PDB file of all heavy atoms in Angstrom:
ATOM      1  N   PHE A 188     -23.647  24.967 -15.074  1.00 98.00           N
ATOM      2  CA  PHE A 188     -24.736  24.204 -14.650  1.00 98.00           C
ATOM      3  C   PHE A 188     -24.154  23.149 -13.652  1.00 98.00           C
ATOM      4  O   PHE A 188     -23.404  22.291 -13.998  1.00 98.00           O
ATOM      5  CB  PHE A 188     -25.364  23.437 -15.852  1.00 98.00           C
ATOM      6  CG  PHE A 188     -25.884  24.377 -16.876  1.00 98.00           C
ATOM      7  CD1 PHE A 188     -25.108  24.843 -17.934  1.00 98.00           C
ATOM      8  CD2 PHE A 188     -27.183  24.789 -16.840  1.00 98.00           C
ATOM      9  CE1 PHE A 188     -25.601  25.672 -18.869  1.00 98.00           C
ATOM     10  CE2 PHE A 188     -27.801  25.629 -17.782  1.00 98.00           C
ATOM     11  CZ  PHE A 188     -26.890  26.083 -18.836  1.00 98.00           C
ATOM     12  N   SER A 189     -24.542  23.368 -12.368  1.00 97.00           N
ATOM     13  CA  SER A 189     -23.936  22.571 -11.304  1.00 97.00           C
ATOM     14  C   SER A 189     -24.890  21.484 -10.835  1.00 97.00           C
ATOM     15  O   SER A 189     -26.136  21.619 -10.839  1.00 97.00           O
ATOM     16  CB  SER A 189     -23.542  23.441 -10.129  1.00 97.00           C
ATOM     17  OG  SER A 189     -23.125  22.663  -9.072  1.00 97.00           O
ATOM     18  N   GLU A 190     -24.355  20.323 -10.454  1.00 96.00           N
ATOM     19  CA  GLU A 190     -25.117  19.391  -9.679  1.00 96.00           C
ATOM     20  C   GLU A 190     -25.761  20.049  -8.437  1.00 96.00           C
ATOM     21  O   GLU A 190     -25.067  20.892  -7.815  1.00 96.00           O
ATOM     22  CB  GLU A 190     -24.255  18.173  -9.289  1.00 96.00           C
ATOM     23  CG  GLU A 190     -24.849  17.106  -8.429  1.00 96.00           C
ATOM     24  CD  GLU A 190     -23.808  16.093  -7.977  1.00 96.00           C
ATOM     25  OE1 GLU A 190     -22.633  16.254  -8.232  1.00 96.00           O
ATOM     26  OE2 GLU A 190     -24.265  15.114  -7.346  1.00 96.00           O
ATOM     27  N   ARG A 191     -26.995  19.674  -8.180  1.00 92.00           N
ATOM     28  CA  ARG A 191     -27.624  20.315  -7.054  1.00 92.00           C
ATOM     29  C   ARG A 191     -27.199  19.799  -5.711  1.00 92.00           C
ATOM     30  O   ARG A 191     -27.138  18.542  -5.620  1.00 92.00           O
ATOM     31  CB  ARG A 191     -29.144  20.307  -7.161  1.00 92.00           C
ATOM     32  CG  ARG A 191     -29.597  20.995  -8.459  1.00 92.00           C
ATOM     33  CD  ARG A 191     -31.055  21.344  -8.354  1.00 92.00           C
ATOM     34  NE  ARG A 191     -31.386  22.240  -9.553  1.00 92.00           N
ATOM     35  CZ  ARG A 191     -32.527  23.035  -9.579  1.00 92.00           C
ATOM     36  NH1 ARG A 191     -33.325  23.061  -8.488  1.00 92.00           N
ATOM     37  NH2 ARG A 191     -32.780  23.772 -10.630  1.00 92.00           N
ATOM     38  N   GLY A 192     -26.833  20.591  -4.719  1.00 79.00           N
ATOM     39  CA  GLY A 192     -26.402  20.181  -3.507  1.00 79.00           C
ATOM     40  C   GLY A 192     -27.569  20.210  -2.454  1.00 79.00           C
ATOM     41  O   GLY A 192     -28.509  20.852  -2.591  1.00 79.00           O
ATOM     42  N   GLY A 193     -27.371  19.483  -1.397  1.00 74.00           N
ATOM     43  CA  GLY A 193     -28.386  19.492  -0.322  1.00 74.00           C
ATOM     44  C   GLY A 193     -29.734  18.973  -0.801  1.00 74.00           C
ATOM     45  O   GLY A 193     -29.856  17.946  -1.485  1.00 74.00           O
ATOM     46  N   ASP A 194     -30.772  19.820  -0.512  1.00 76.00           N
ATOM     47  CA  ASP A 194     -32.135  19.411  -0.872  1.00 76.00           C
ATOM     48  C   ASP A 194     -32.471  20.005  -2.265  1.00 76.00           C
ATOM     49  O   ASP A 194     -33.499  20.579  -2.445  1.00 76.00           O
ATOM     50  CB  ASP A 194     -33.176  19.859   0.126  1.00 76.00           C
ATOM     51  CG  ASP A 194     -32.991  19.161   1.511  1.00 76.00           C
ATOM     52  OD1 ASP A 194     -32.596  17.996   1.535  1.00 76.00           O
ATOM     53  OD2 ASP A 194     -33.257  19.790   2.617  1.00 76.00           O
ATOM     54  N   GLY A 195     -31.672  19.750  -3.227  1.00 89.00           N
ATOM     55  CA  GLY A 195     -31.869  20.199  -4.547  1.00 89.00           C
ATOM     56  C   GLY A 195     -31.813  21.694  -4.821  1.00 89.00           C
ATOM     57  O   GLY A 195     -32.504  22.202  -5.614  1.00 89.00           O
ATOM     58  N   ILE A 196     -30.849  22.296  -4.068  1.00 94.00           N
ATOM     59  CA  ILE A 196     -30.674  23.763  -4.173  1.00 94.00           C
ATOM     60  C   ILE A 196     -29.933  24.053  -5.455  1.00 94.00           C
ATOM     61  O   ILE A 196     -28.912  23.474  -5.817  1.00 94.00           O
ATOM     62  CB  ILE A 196     -29.891  24.356  -2.926  1.00 94.00           C
ATOM     63  CG1 ILE A 196     -30.573  23.916  -1.647  1.00 94.00           C
ATOM     64  CG2 ILE A 196     -29.700  25.767  -3.007  1.00 94.00           C
ATOM     65  CD1 ILE A 196     -31.985  24.549  -1.503  1.00 94.00           C
ATOM     66  N   ASN A 197     -30.473  25.093  -6.194  1.00 96.00           N
ATOM     67  CA  ASN A 197     -29.990  25.518  -7.415  1.00 96.00           C
ATOM     68  C   ASN A 197     -28.695  26.385  -7.130  1.00 96.00           C
ATOM     69  O   ASN A 197     -28.855  27.493  -6.517  1.00 96.00           O
ATOM     70  CB  ASN A 197     -30.988  26.317  -8.229  1.00 96.00           C
ATOM     71  CG  ASN A 197     -30.449  26.865  -9.519  1.00 96.00           C
ATOM     72  OD1 ASN A 197     -29.316  26.522  -9.982  1.00 96.00           O
ATOM     73  ND2 ASN A 197     -31.140  27.750 -10.172  1.00 96.00           N
ATOM     74  N   VAL A 198     -27.532  26.001  -7.616  1.00 97.00           N
ATOM     75  CA  VAL A 198     -26.336  26.818  -7.355  1.00 97.00           C
ATOM     76  C   VAL A 198     -25.695  27.045  -8.801  1.00 97.00           C
ATOM     77  O   VAL A 198     -24.439  27.325  -8.857  1.00 97.00           O
ATOM     78  CB  VAL A 198     -25.336  26.093  -6.427  1.00 97.00           C
ATOM     79  CG1 VAL A 198     -25.822  26.185  -5.053  1.00 97.00           C
ATOM     80  CG2 VAL A 198     -25.058  24.634  -6.870  1.00 97.00           C
ATOM     81  N   ASN A 199     -26.408  27.071  -9.849  1.00 98.00           N
ATOM     82  CA  ASN A 199     -25.911  27.524 -11.096  1.00 98.00           C
ATOM     83  C   ASN A 199     -25.347  28.965 -11.006  1.00 98.00           C
ATOM     84  O   ASN A 199     -26.003  29.776 -10.341  1.00 98.00           O
ATOM     85  CB  ASN A 199     -26.918  27.338 -12.205  1.00 98.00           C
ATOM     86  CG  ASN A 199     -27.409  25.958 -12.463  1.00 98.00           C
ATOM     87  OD1 ASN A 199     -26.750  25.000 -11.996  1.00 98.00           O
ATOM     88  ND2 ASN A 199     -28.458  25.796 -13.155  1.00 98.00           N
ATOM     89  N   HIS A 200     -24.335  29.229 -11.809  1.00 98.00           N
ATOM     90  CA  HIS A 200     -23.765  30.542 -11.614  1.00 98.00           C
ATOM     91  C   HIS A 200     -22.954  31.015 -12.879  1.00 98.00           C
ATOM     92  O   HIS A 200     -22.611  30.199 -13.703  1.00 98.00           O
ATOM     93  CB  HIS A 200     -22.803  30.590 -10.484  1.00 98.00           C
ATOM     94  CG  HIS A 200     -21.679  29.613 -10.455  1.00 98.00           C
ATOM     95  ND1 HIS A 200     -21.943  28.283  -9.994  1.00 98.00           N
ATOM     96  CD2 HIS A 200     -20.456  29.645 -10.912  1.00 98.00           C
ATOM     97  CE1 HIS A 200     -20.849  27.603 -10.091  1.00 98.00           C
ATOM     98  NE2 HIS A 200     -19.906  28.341 -10.659  1.00 98.00           N
ATOM     99  N   HIS A 201     -22.690  32.284 -12.953  1.00 98.00           N
ATOM    100  CA  HIS A 201     -21.939  32.911 -13.963  1.00 98.00           C
ATOM    101  C   HIS A 201     -20.467  32.977 -13.429  1.00 98.00           C
ATOM    102  O   HIS A 201     -20.297  33.294 -12.269  1.00 98.00           O
ATOM    103  CB  HIS A 201     -22.326  34.351 -14.383  1.00 98.00           C
ATOM    104  CG  HIS A 201     -23.737  34.454 -14.948  1.00 98.00           C
ATOM    105  ND1 HIS A 201     -23.944  34.201 -16.307  1.00 98.00           N
ATOM    106  CD2 HIS A 201     -24.879  34.561 -14.320  1.00 98.00           C
ATOM    107  CE1 HIS A 201     -25.370  34.413 -16.465  1.00 98.00           C
ATOM    108  NE2 HIS A 201     -25.884  34.595 -15.386  1.00 98.00           N
ATOM    109  N   ARG A 202     -19.472  32.781 -14.312  1.00 98.00           N
ATOM    110  CA  ARG A 202     -18.074  33.105 -13.940  1.00 98.00           C
ATOM    111  C   ARG A 202     -17.514  33.933 -15.066  1.00 98.00           C
ATOM    112  O   ARG A 202     -17.793  33.720 -16.259  1.00 98.00           O
ATOM    113  CB  ARG A 202     -17.215  31.824 -13.791  1.00 98.00           C
ATOM    114  CG  ARG A 202     -17.670  30.895 -12.646  1.00 98.00           C
ATOM    115  CD  ARG A 202     -16.594  29.911 -12.397  1.00 98.00           C
ATOM    116  NE  ARG A 202     -15.427  30.458 -11.723  1.00 98.00           N
ATOM    117  CZ  ARG A 202     -15.192  30.341 -10.384  1.00 98.00           C
ATOM    118  NH1 ARG A 202     -16.021  29.702  -9.667  1.00 98.00           N
ATOM    119  NH2 ARG A 202     -14.114  30.873  -9.980  1.00 98.00           N
ATOM    120  N   PHE A 203     -16.705  34.959 -14.699  1.00 98.00           N
ATOM    121  CA  PHE A 203     -16.248  35.935 -15.789  1.00 98.00           C
ATOM    122  C   PHE A 203     -14.824  36.345 -15.386  1.00 98.00           C
ATOM    123  O   PHE A 203     -14.443  36.300 -14.246  1.00 98.00           O
ATOM    124  CB  PHE A 203     -17.163  37.113 -15.865  1.00 98.00           C
ATOM    125  CG  PHE A 203     -17.235  37.942 -14.615  1.00 98.00           C
ATOM    126  CD1 PHE A 203     -16.366  39.040 -14.450  1.00 98.00           C
ATOM    127  CD2 PHE A 203     -18.213  37.658 -13.746  1.00 98.00           C
ATOM    128  CE1 PHE A 203     -16.458  39.787 -13.283  1.00 98.00           C
ATOM    129  CE2 PHE A 203     -18.314  38.460 -12.612  1.00 98.00           C
ATOM    130  CZ  PHE A 203     -17.463  39.506 -12.351  1.00 98.00           C
ATOM    131  N   GLN A 204     -14.097  36.787 -16.366  1.00 98.00           N
ATOM    132  CA  GLN A 204     -12.724  37.303 -16.178  1.00 98.00           C
ATOM    133  C   GLN A 204     -12.505  38.342 -17.291  1.00 98.00           C
ATOM    134  O   GLN A 204     -12.826  38.020 -18.421  1.00 98.00           O
ATOM    135  CB  GLN A 204     -11.677  36.220 -16.148  1.00 98.00           C
ATOM    136  CG  GLN A 204     -10.265  36.729 -15.958  1.00 98.00           C
ATOM    137  CD  GLN A 204      -9.263  35.619 -15.643  1.00 98.00           C
ATOM    138  OE1 GLN A 204      -9.661  34.566 -15.364  1.00 98.00           O
ATOM    139  NE2 GLN A 204      -7.987  35.960 -15.657  1.00 98.00           N
ATOM    140  N   ALA A 205     -11.821  39.429 -16.963  1.00 98.00           N
ATOM    141  CA  ALA A 205     -11.486  40.461 -17.946  1.00 98.00           C
ATOM    142  C   ALA A 205     -10.136  40.886 -17.592  1.00 98.00           C
ATOM    143  O   ALA A 205      -9.747  41.072 -16.457  1.00 98.00           O
ATOM    144  CB  ALA A 205     -12.455  41.632 -17.950  1.00 98.00           C
TER     145      ALA A 205
END
Side-chain angles (χ1 to χ4, degrees):
F188 299 89
S189 176
E190 177 184 5
R191 298 200 171 202
D194 293 330
I196 303 300
N197 177 11
V198 289
N199 294 349
H200 55 273
H201 301 271
R202 296 192 73 102
F203 63 91
Q204 181 167 346

